[in-house]
Every structure is written in C-alpha cells, then in structure tokens.
Amino acid sequence: NLLGFVRSCQVEGRLPAGDGHRMALLAWTMVHGITKPGGTGRLPFPSNSEILKFAEFVVDHSLPTDRHLHELSAIHNLYPDPDRP
C-alpha cells in the first residue's frame, strides 16, 4: 500500500523522516490532481508523454527534500505559529 511504500522510502532515506500518513496523503493528492484532469483532457497538454513530463515536474518540485525542510524551518522561525507550543 501507499503508506508502506512511503515508510520504506523514509527508512531508505529517499524521503525525509516524519509523519508517513501526511507524506502518503501528499503523494495521493499529487497523483489524483494530475490523473483526474489529465484523463479527461482538461490539462493543456497534447499527449500522454507531455502529461507524464508535467507529472515529473510536479513530483520534482513538490516532495520535500532536506533543503526544502531546512527552508521551511527557517520560515517557521521567522513567523512562529501562535497556536503551536
């Protein structure tokens, strides 16, 4: 299942450690956010290969990496959430 796959990737260091459920939900929404409109011709791409290129772009720019997590940490330090202890 997807959660098991995410956890395996986290153990292997391919995804950052953290809440596996949230990471799996991120992956699920990314896939469905592309396949639903892509399968009905609602994305502005003329072919399946162009949709796949776009999917690669989405994955490459959406999944957190150590660099992204470091940047987010810096932002959270600048703008702390008042509801967070």
Side-chain angles (χ1 to χ4, degrees), residues 38-55:
T40 58
R42 294 185 179 176
L43 288 177
F45 304 110
S47 67
N48 286 342
S49 64
E50 291 296 315
I51 292 172
L52 289 174
K53 286 180 189 175
F54 177 66

Side-chain angles (χ1 to χ4, degrees), residues 55-76:
E56 283 183 35
F57 170 81
V58 170
V59 169
D60 289 345
H61 290 84
S62 299
L63 289 176
T65 63
D66 288 336
R67 189 189 89 233
H68 290 129
L69 294 175
H70 179 72
E71 291 169 357
L72 285 174
S73 177
I75 290 169
H76 284 289

